[in-house]
Amino acid sequence: MQGITKYFGDFCALKEVELAVRAGTIHSILGENGAGKTTLMNILYGFYTCDSGKIFVHGSEQEISTPKDAINLGIGMVHQHFMLVEPYTVLQNIILGDETTKIPGIIDYKKARRKIEGLAQAYHFNIDLDAKIQDITVGMQQRVEIMKALYRGAEILILDEPTSVLTPQEIDELIDIMHSMVKNGKTIVIITHKLAEIMKSSDECTVIRKGKNVASVKIEDTSENELAELMVGRKVHFTVEKENRKTGEVIFSVDRLTVEDDRGITKVNDISFGIRAGEIFGIAGVDGNGQQELFEAIASLRKAKTGSIHMKGVNITNTSPREMFENGICVIPEDRQKSGLVLEFTVAENMVLEKIGRAPFSRHGLLDLKKIRKNATDLIREYDVRPEHCEDTRAGALSGGNQQKAIIARAISNDPDLLIAVQPTRGLDVGAIEFVHKAIVGQRNQGKAILLISLELEEVLKLSDRIAVLYNGKFADILDAKDADENRIGLLMAGGKNDENA
Ligand SMILES: Nc1ncnc2c1ncn2[C@@H]1O[C@H](COP(=O)(O)OP(=O)(O)OP(=O)(O)O)[C@@H](O)[C@H]1O
Ligand SMILES: [Mg+2]
C-alpha cells in the first residue's frame, strides 16, 4: 500500500501511509487506539476506499473498491468485531453469500461440508459444523471467521485483533494455526496490541501513530520495550505502583450463590465472598468456568437460583441494573458493543446513559443538552478518548479501544462504591492499559471496592489485593496477593490442588 490517505469528514485518519508485506510472512501492525490500523486494513479489504494512494498485489496495481474485489484477489479479513449470524449454524455461516448450488436455488451442503472438512484438516483446526454460533465460544467463532476467509480462497489473510477475545490457550492455538497457514504459502497481516504475541508470531512489524508511519522493523532486531516506545512515543511502565493501605469494612457480599446458564446447567456453585472498601478483589480463571454467569447474576442480568447478594446491607439479589446503580454499583462490561454502549447514540449521550433522567442532566423532564455535552467534553479530555472532539460522534464510529475508554470514563465518573470491571483492558494499547490500571488502583486508594474479573492472569496479579480462582463454578482457593504468583494461580486455574508439598 502506497501513500494511503483517508479522511472521515474533516478528520484525517490516515496520512500517506505505506505498508509493504512480503509473501509467506506474518506481518504485524502496531499502534495506539485510534491510530488507524483497522481503517488501513478496511481499505485493503475494500470496505472503505481511500482518498488517495495505491494498492499493489503481487506487484500489480489493483483497484479494490468492495470486499468482493478483495476476495477475488485472494484477500480475506477477520474483523475486530465478528460478523456472524448467531442463530445460523457454523456451516451456514461459512458459506453465507458464497453458496454452491446443485440446481439453482438448492444449496449443495454436502459439497460445502467436504470442502470445509478438507480445509480444517489441512490447518489443524476442529470446528463443529452443525453447532449454532450462539452456542459456541468466542474462540470457536473466530475459527469460523478464519474458515470463512479460507473457504473463499484467501491467500492473504488480515486478522484484526484476533487475540483480544481469546484465552491464553486459544492464543497459542491460533499462533500455531497462523504458522501452519504460512507453511502452506499464505501471508498474514495481523493487528494486535500484545507485544509478546508480536515477538512470538511475526516476521516484521509496521508501527503507526495518529495516522502516520512511525517505523517498520524486523522482529529479530527489536524488543518489546522498543516496540512500546515506538508506538506510544514515550517510555511505558509495565508495572503499577500500589501503595499499602488499610482496607475498610466489607461493603459488598455474595452468600452461597448458585447460578444456572440458559440450558439449566449449574455454572456458579455455592459461592461466597465479600469485598472490603479499598480493596481490589480479583477473579482469575480460564474462560467458561462460570465467570460470565457470576457476573451476570451480580449485575442483575441473570437470575440467581439460590443465595443472596448484598450491597452496603441492602439485599440486591435478583433486582435490576437500575437498582444496582442506585445502590452505588457501576460496571465495565465485557462486551462493549453489546452491553457497554448504544452505538447509534453520540458519545455525549452514552456518557450519561445511567443518569440521563437526573439532575443536572435533566430537569422537569427536559434534557439539558449543554450539561450533557460539557460532561462529555471533560471526560474525553480526562480519559484521552480520541479523536479529541468526539462529543457528537456516534459511539459506533470510535475505534474499539476508544469505545472502551469511553465506558471506563463513564463508570468511574459515576463515582461508584463498588466498581465491577470485566476484562477492562481488552483491546487497549499498552499506553491506555497503563492509564486504566492507574485509574482502577486510584479508585481503590480512594477507598472504593473493586471486583475485577479478567482472563488475563497478569492483570489480575498486578492489580488485586486478594485473588480468587474460579474453577468449574467454585472457588478453588482465595489467596492474598502476596502469596500468589503465576505458577500457583495457573495450577489452580487448571484444576490442580494447591498443595504446599507438591
Ligand atoms: N466510519 C468512521 N467514521 C468516522 N470516523 C471513523 C470511522 N472509522 C474510524 N474512524 C476514526 O478514525 C480513527 C482511526 O480508527 P481505527 O478504527 O482505524 O483505529 P485503530 O487503530 O484500529 O484503533 P483500535 O486499536 O482502538 O482498534 C479513529 O479516530 C476513529 O474514530
Ligand atoms: Mg481497530
Side-chain angles (χ1 to χ4, degrees):
M1 302 180 82
Q2 289 185 356
I4 304 289
T5 296
K6 172 74 184 171
Y7 282 87
F8 291 109
D10 299 336
F11 176 74
C12 183
L14 295 171
K15 181 89 183 157
E16 285 165 25
V17 171
E18 311 276 321
L19 173 69
V21 179
R22 280 169 229 279
T25 63
I26 300 179
H27 193 115
S28 47
I29 300 193
L30 179 67
E32 291 177 281
N33 296 125
K37 305 175 298 292
T38 299
T39 305
L40 186 67
M41 289 302 106
N42 275 336
I43 291 171
L44 180 55
Y45 191 56
F47 225 66
Y48 293 148
T49 42
C50 52
D51 298 313
S52 60
K54 292 178 177 165
I55 303 176
F56 298 83
V57 181
H58 294 303
S60 57
E61 189 177 346
Q62 301 289 350
E63 190 82 34
I64 303 179
S65 41
T66 64
K68 198 106 214 159
D69 294 340
I71 291 166
N72 288 337
L73 288 165
I75 301 171
M77 178 159 178
V78 175
H79 294 270
Q80 187 169 0
H81 304 107
F82 296 158
M83 303 195 166
L84 298 169
V85 185
E86 301 235 324
Y88 278 19
T89 65
V90 169
L91 179 65
Q92 286 169 324
N93 268 280
I94 292 172
I95 64 173
L96 192 67
D98 195 26
E99 295 87 351
T100 11
T101 49
K102 242 187 288 197
I103 23 176
I106 310 273
I107 299 175
D108 191 348
Y109 281 112
K110 265 213 190 108
K111 195 164 159 201
R113 188 181 288 271
R114 268 202 308 274
K115 181 169 165 187
I116 298 166
E117 280 167 355
L119 286 167
Q121 221 167 14
Y123 298 107
H124 311 288
F125 57 101
N126 301 321
I127 35 177
D128 175 0
L129 292 182
D130 301 308
K132 284 191 179 154
I133 297 296
Q134 61 202 15
D135 296 332
I136 61 179
T137 62
V138 212
M140 281 296 161
Q141 293 182 8
Q142 180 176 66
R143 287 184 191 190
V144 179
E145 288 277 16
I146 294 176
M147 185 52 87
K148 254 172 82 176
L150 293 174
Y151 185 78
R152 284 158 181 71
E155 289 298 322
I156 303 170
L157 187 66
I158 306 165
L159 303 171
D160 190 352
E161 285 193 42
T163 60
S164 61
V165 292
L166 299 185
T167 61
Q169 291 89 322
E170 288 173 325
I171 292 173
D172 288 339
E173 286 167 27
L174 176 69
I175 292 179
D176 287 346
I177 289 175
M178 284 164 53
H179 283 138
S180 86
M181 292 202 293
V182 167
K183 262 199 212 110
N184 281 282
K186 311 270 178 199
T187 303
I188 296 174
V189 185
I190 173 174
I191 300 178
T192 173
H193 289 295
K194 297 185 187 162
L195 303 171
E197 278 163 22
I198 297 182
M199 299 304 294
K200 227 195 288 180
S201 69
S202 303
D203 301 293
E204 281 175 66
C205 175
T206 294
V207 185
I208 56 180
R209 191 191 312 151
K210 297 191 175 166
K212 293 194 187 124
N213 281 97
V214 176
S216 266
V217 290
K218 282 215 162 61
I219 295 305
E220 55 192 33
D221 303 334
T222 190
S223 65
E224 281 187 41
N225 281 323
E226 188 193 31
L227 286 175
E229 206 174 323
L230 281 173
M231 161 182 165
V232 187
R234 62 171 170 88
K235 280 224 181 312
V236 178
H237 301 281
F238 290 99
T239 50
V240 200
E241 295 282 327
K242 244 174 79 188
E243 61 188 73
N244 275 330
R245 69 184 303 285
K246 276 219 153 39
T247 49
E249 285 176 29
V250 172
I251 60 164
F252 175 80
S253 63
V254 166
D255 193 32
R256 308 207 63 172
L257 184 71
T258 296
V259 190
E260 292 179 343
D261 69 5
D262 292 338
R263 290 185 266 188
I265 298 166
T266 301
K267 281 300 172 96
V268 174
N269 193 352
D270 198 13
I271 277 185
S272 304
F273 65 97
I275 310 180
R276 295 174 179 278
E279 178 184 50
I280 302 179
F281 186 84
I283 296 184
V286 176
D287 195 17
N289 275 285
Q291 288 94 334
Q292 194 181 343
E293 289 77 11
L294 175 62
F295 163 71
E296 285 174 353
I298 293 176
S300 274
L301 298 169
R302 176 181 290 280
K303 283 251 175 312
K305 183 147 182 268
T306 55
S308 66
I309 303 164
H310 284 82
M311 178 71 192
K312 289 187 291 183
V314 180
N315 187 344
I316 53 164
T317 324
N318 295 336
T319 52
S320 68
R322 156 81 40 211
E323 203 87 355
M324 306 271 305
F325 181 72
E326 302 295 341
N327 281 292
I329 302 176
C330 281
V331 173
I332 301 168
E334 179 176 13
D335 189 329
R336 55 180 165 248
Q337 299 207 326
K338 260 192 210 153
S339 32
L341 297 166
V342 182
L343 296 178
E344 296 307 315
F345 284 8
T346 65
V347 172
E349 287 163 340
N350 271 289
M351 291 290 201
V352 292
L353 277 190
E354 297 104 330
K355 50 191 181 195
I356 195 157
R358 281 195 192 170
F361 305 114
S362 167
R363 272 180 212 285
H364 312 301
L366 289 179
L367 296 180
D368 188 335
L369 297 179
K370 258 208 190 118
K371 293 246 165 66
I372 291 176
R373 200 161 187 287
K374 170 78 170 51
N375 172 66
T377 307
D378 293 345
L379 291 178
I380 288 165
R381 191 170 316 126
E382 195 181 336
Y383 288 82
D384 190 25
V385 182
R386 298 181 198 178
E388 228 171 310
H389 299 289
C390 60
E391 293 90 343
D392 304 318
T393 308
R394 225 170 39 87
L398 293 188
S399 80
N402 282 295
Q403 292 177 352
Q404 186 72 4
K405 286 199 247 174
I407 292 171
I408 291 167
R410 178 183 66 204
I412 294 183
S413 74
N414 285 334
D415 196 28
D417 296 317
L418 172 71
L419 176 68
I420 304 178
V422 190
Q423 299 273 80
T425 57
R426 173 193 277 184
L428 293 189
D429 68 57
V430 286
I433 290 177
E434 183 189 3
F435 182 88
V436 170
H437 283 172
K438 270 194 194 148
I440 290 178
V441 171
Q443 288 286 296
R444 157 194 181 269
N445 291 347
Q446 280 178 39
K448 311 290 185 167
I450 287 137
L451 173 60
L452 170 71
I453 304 178
S454 175
L455 300 175
E456 307 251 357
L457 182 50
E458 216 188 300
E459 178 166 74
V460 176
L461 279 168
K462 212 190 277 185
L463 297 181
S464 310
D465 296 300
R466 280 190 301 145
I467 301 171
V469 181
L470 195 57
Y471 179 74
N472 216 350
K474 282 181 177 294
F475 284 153
D477 206 347
I478 301 182
L479 302 173
D480 227 72
K482 63 177 190 319
D483 306 324
D485 61 37
E486 202 153 322
N487 287 334
R488 198 154 171 198
I489 304 271
L491 186 67
L492 289 166
M493 280 168 66
K497 284 275 166 298
N498 205 352
D499 185 352
E500 295 289 42
N501 308 320

